[in-house]
Amino acid sequence: MSKKARVFDVQEMMRNIRQTLQKNKAVALQQHEEQPADESAVSKKNDSKESDDEGDLIGPPIPLSLLTNSDAKTSGADEKGEKNAESDDDDDNNEDDESSDDESSNKIPCTHEVTMTHGTKAVTAIAADPSGARLASGSIDYDVCFWDFAGMDSSMRSFRTLQPCENHPIKCLQYSTTGDMILVISGAAQAKVLDRDGFEKCETVKGDQYLIDMSRTKGHTASLNSGSWHPSSKEQYLTCSQDSTCRIWDLNSPRCHKSLIRCRAQNGVKTVPTACAYSRDGSVVACGCIDGSIQMWDQRRNFVTPSLVSRGAHAQHSEISSLSFSYVKQMLASRACDDTLKLWDLRTFKSPVFVAKDLFSRYNTTDCMFSPNDRMVVTGESLNKGARNGRILFYNSATFDLVSQIPVTGSHVIKTLWHPKLNQVFVGCGNGIVKVYYDPKKSMRGAKLCVVKTHTKQKHIEIMSTQQIITPHALPLFRQDRPKSVRKQMEKDRLDPLKSRRPDLPITSGQGGRVASSGGTLSSYVIRNLGLSKRIEDDQDPREAILKYAKIAEEEPYWIRPAYERTQPKTIFQTDDQESGPSNKRQKR
């Protein structure tokens, strides 16, 4: 008899578990409200015994947090009253906030640091690919340096330095979502797209600066300010310029923009966008303008009027240097040259949620960003008058309290980048260095790969030059060799089997696994063992050498005579007498 498998109704079991949990929670709360604080322990024991005796209860026990909170409330009400209980709750909340700040500060990877030297001028752009294998840094000295963490050693030197935009400072760098291309925004009117190795892939077209209507030009007519890749489409990117426009480009058609966005002030006059960014899902385009406004457009609609506008976001005529969207929540952080950092909620965009003041910013590319878990907002502070070190500031995104601050160098802190995959913080400074902060336990790869590798110096060979004496008519014994070129000497050494270290040549002769010195065929075997058993000297006549064996062949025949002895006819030779004359001639037929 075959046994049938039992069938369980999972949904019905889950319903029963939920019902029993709700009943147990309600009964436990009623009992603790009725009983005094002294009898709470006894009631817990009785409840645990009853729950053990009953077999119908299914599911996990009652959480201890509910029981402890109810105990604290009852005891506080009996001893101190309702006012004291409320003050205790406030103290607990403050302690929780302090503990959360301590936990968030502990999560900052800043136990170790590494310094990478870009140059002597300020680093105004930093970008890292999504995988964290490479880093690119741009400066006002027109150079872009590429760093490969897997190929660097402890010396931390870049593997390539180039000037993609000639004599224009680099303002913004950003890798695409796939990491195979990098967008370069400079002071020129044309943006460039490079591949991973720094070779140019495409360049946007320059517009006609004599036209007033910007929609009739195919590209920007003034210097660029910022740019950004689309977060999901690897072929679309955004640029903003001093010509009061933002243009969306397609990588496959760089000869003309895909869409055009005009930035207008409140009175309808053109205003210059100084920062632009995509939202995390790519549906919204945000621009920060020089009139202090933040304007947003929905890509699903026409770019005629913005969908969200905050006119007085920052002070007028102070450039908004950075806009950064949060990873998950509907939050936006903005940094401007009016020495403020503001946090915005996109659902209520009229006024900022938090404001941090007195953050000196000297460069118009000082940025801000969210931490990978959206719990902190990171920004840099320039070196103010009287200060000694530029700092990185970490603010709590929920309370906007200053969680931590790190003094970096005796110069300005311009760019900050917290890589979500590596869990490392990259900082671009005003003295031309790039600092990397990491934690060996919490960070992955990146700078950790370079610190372990030791820098090996090249061995220098000292060569002593000797004076050469030229003697054209000297004897060969005392004649010096003429100095040959390196190429001829290498060719000569190549022919020498010892200097070139030539391996043993392969064996070509042999048969059946046996190596033969002179071939492996039957004829070679006969010649080697029989025919050439007694060698003939070269200076001997071959006819005389053969006639040596004539007497032996007649006395002891071995080869030919025994074979034809029976059938060999007797030779009969005709003899002619010379005296009698010639024999009769044959008759003609």
Side-chain angles (χ1 to χ4, degrees):
M1 297 291 291
S2 61
K3 295 182 179 180
K4 295 183 179 179
R6 297 179 64 184
V7 180
F8 297 95
D9 192 354
V10 180
Q11 296 181 355
E12 187 176 356
M13 292 173 67
M14 294 297 295
R15 291 172 188 168
N16 295 333
I17 291 171
R18 289 170 185 166
Q19 291 177 2
T20 53
L21 284 174
Q22 291 176 359
K23 290 179 181 178
N24 292 338
K25 289 180 181 179
V27 171
L29 291 174
Q30 289 177 1
Q31 290 178 357
H32 283 287
E33 289 176 357
E34 294 174 357
Q35 293 177 355
D38 297 336
E39 297 178 357
S40 61
V42 180
S43 63
K44 289 178 185 177
K45 294 181 180 178
N46 295 330
D47 293 339
S48 62
K49 291 180 180 179
E50 291 175 2
S51 62
D52 293 334
D53 295 336
E54 294 177 358
D56 298 335
L57 297 179
I58 301 173
I62 301 171
L64 296 176
S65 61
L66 294 175
L67 300 177
T68 55
N69 291 333
S70 62
D71 294 341
K73 288 180 181 179
T74 53
S75 62
D78 293 338
E79 294 177 359
K80 298 180 180 179
E82 295 179 355
K83 294 182 179 179
N84 295 332
E86 291 177 357
S87 63
D88 292 338
D89 293 339
D90 295 336
D91 295 337
D92 294 338
N93 293 330
N94 294 329
E95 290 177 358
D96 294 337
D97 295 337
E98 291 177 359
S99 62
S100 63
D101 292 342
D102 295 337
E103 290 178 358
S104 60
S105 62
N106 292 332
K107 292 182 179 179
I108 300 173
C110 58
T111 57
H112 294 69
E113 64 178 46
V114 178
T115 302
M116 299 187 299
T117 304
H118 174 94
T120 57
K121 301 295 183 65
V123 178
T124 55
I126 287 179
D129 63 344
S131 63
R134 288 190 176 182
L135 178 76
S137 60
S139 174
I140 59 177
D141 60 357
Y142 324 133
D143 291 340
V144 175
C145 294
F146 291 89
W147 316 78
D148 187 4
F149 294 111
M152 285 193 302
D153 53 10
S154 59
S155 63
M156 306 297 288
R157 296 179 181 177
S158 62
F159 73 93
R160 180 160 295 161
T161 302
L162 51 92
Q163 293 183 359
C165 303
E166 296 179 354
N167 297 330
H168 294 283
I170 307 300
K171 294 185 177 181
C172 179
L173 295 173
Q174 189 175 9
Y175 275 92
S176 62
T177 55
T178 55
D180 57 344
M181 292 173 291
I182 181 171
L183 177 64
V184 180
I185 303 297
S186 65
Q190 297 169 279
K192 288 191 177 183
V193 178
L194 309 179
D195 60 359
R196 284 179 60 85
D197 296 327
F199 298 102
E200 184 178 337
K201 199 159 188 179
C202 75
E203 182 182 15
T204 60
V205 67
K206 186 177 181 180
D208 190 354
Q209 58 185 351
Y210 296 103
L211 294 178
I212 300 176
D213 190 0
M214 290 292 103
S215 62
R216 297 184 179 275
T217 60
K218 297 181 180 180
H220 290 291
T221 59
S223 62
L224 301 176
N225 290 327
S226 180
S228 176
W229 280 99
H230 194 278
S232 58
S233 177
K234 65 178 182 179
E235 297 178 351
Q236 184 178 340
Y237 56 95
L238 171 70
T239 58
C240 65
S241 172
Q242 291 283 345
D243 60 0
S244 304
T245 62
C246 294
R247 298 176 192 263
I248 299 175
W249 303 84
D250 191 355
L251 189 64
N252 298 325
S253 57
R255 305 304 300 173
C256 183
H257 61 265
K258 183 179 178 181
S259 301
L260 176 68
I261 301 174
R262 294 184 180 88
C263 297
R264 301 277 184 184
Q266 189 172 6
N267 55 1
V269 183
K270 295 179 181 180
T271 182
V272 177
T274 57
C276 61
Y278 278 105
S279 61
R280 295 293 175 178
D281 57 355
S283 61
V284 177
V285 176
C287 292
C289 302
I290 200 170
D291 64 340
S293 65
I294 299 177
Q295 306 178 20
M296 298 186 187
W297 290 268
D298 193 349
Q299 281 201 349
R300 294 168 292 185
R301 303 176 182 175
N302 295 328
F303 297 107
V304 179
T305 56
S307 57
L308 287 175
V309 180
S310 178
R311 292 293 177 185
H314 289 275
Q316 289 188 359
H317 306 293
S318 63
E319 299 181 1
I320 298 176
S321 57
S322 176
L323 295 175
S324 177
F325 286 88
S326 61
Y327 286 90
V328 179
K329 300 177 183 178
Q330 297 290 327
M331 304 298 288
L332 175 70
S334 63
R335 183 79 161 93
C337 292
D338 58 354
D339 302 343
T340 59
L341 170 66
K342 296 185 179 182
L343 187 65
W344 306 81
D345 190 352
L346 299 181
R347 291 165 291 187
T348 57
F349 197 59
K350 293 182 180 180
S351 61
V353 181
F354 297 108
V355 179
K357 298 180 180 179
D358 298 331
L359 301 178
F360 178 60
S361 175
R362 184 175 180 181
Y363 291 86
N364 57 358
T365 57
T366 305
D367 63 347
C368 62
M369 66 172 301
F370 283 87
S371 62
N373 56 3
D374 281 343
R375 292 186 179 180
M376 287 179 285
V377 182
V378 188
T379 187
E381 183 183 15
S382 298
L383 194 65
N384 205 344
K385 187 176 181 180
R388 294 184 178 181
N389 294 319
R391 300 180 299 169
I392 312 174
L393 305 174
F394 298 86
Y395 290 93
N396 191 344
S397 61
T399 61
F400 222 62
D401 296 331
L402 184 61
V403 177
S404 177
Q405 55 181 351
I406 302 174
V408 185
T409 56
S411 183
H412 313 284
V413 175
I414 303 171
K415 283 290 183 178
T416 55
L417 174 62
W418 192 336
H419 199 280
K421 193 170 184 179
L422 299 180
N423 195 20
Q424 297 178 6
V425 181
F426 302 93
V427 183
C429 304
N431 53 1
I433 66 172
V434 179
K435 282 222 171 184
V436 185
Y437 291 91
Y438 68 96
D439 191 342
K441 296 181 180 179
K442 300 176 183 178
S443 302
M444 296 175 61
R445 299 192 302 273
K448 291 174 62 178
L449 301 175
C450 310
V451 177
V452 181
K453 299 178 182 178
T454 57
H455 176 59
T456 58
K457 295 183 178 180
Q458 295 181 355
K459 295 181 180 180
H460 298 283
I461 301 173
E462 295 182 358
I463 300 174
M464 299 296 293
S465 60
T466 58
Q467 188 175 3
Q468 185 181 1
I469 301 173
I470 301 173
T471 55
H473 302 289
L475 296 174
L477 180 62
F478 304 101
R479 188 179 301 167
Q480 292 184 359
D481 294 335
R482 292 183 180 179
K484 298 180 180 179
S485 62
V486 179
R487 184 175 180 181
K488 290 183 179 180
Q489 186 66 29
M490 290 176 63
E491 292 177 354
K492 185 178 179 181
D493 294 342
R494 184 66 179 170
L495 298 176
D496 190 356
L498 296 178
K499 291 185 178 180
S500 63
R501 298 180 182 179
R502 186 185 67 182
D504 295 337
L505 297 176
I507 299 171
T508 57
S509 61
Q511 186 177 10
R514 298 177 181 178
V515 180
S517 60
S518 61
T521 59
L522 179 60
S523 60
S524 64
Y525 175 77
V526 172
I527 293 170
R528 185 171 64 254
N529 292 283
L530 299 177
L532 298 179
S533 59
K534 296 180 180 179
R535 291 194 172 184
I536 301 173
E537 297 179 0
D538 296 336
D539 57 349
Q540 189 179 3
D541 189 5
R543 186 170 179 274
E544 295 178 357
I546 294 172
L547 291 176
K548 286 181 181 180
Y549 301 97
K551 186 177 180 181
I552 299 173
E554 290 180 359
E555 295 177 356
E556 298 178 2
Y558 184 78
W559 293 102
I560 300 173
R561 188 173 176 181
Y564 297 100
E565 189 175 7
R566 296 180 182 179
T567 59
Q568 184 68 22
K570 294 180 180 180
T571 57
I572 300 172
F573 298 100
Q574 184 178 1
T575 57
D576 294 335
D577 296 335
Q578 294 180 0
E579 297 178 354
S580 60
S583 59
N584 297 329
K585 296 181 180 179
R586 292 182 181 180
Q587 297 179 0
K588 294 182 180 180
R589 295 181 181 178

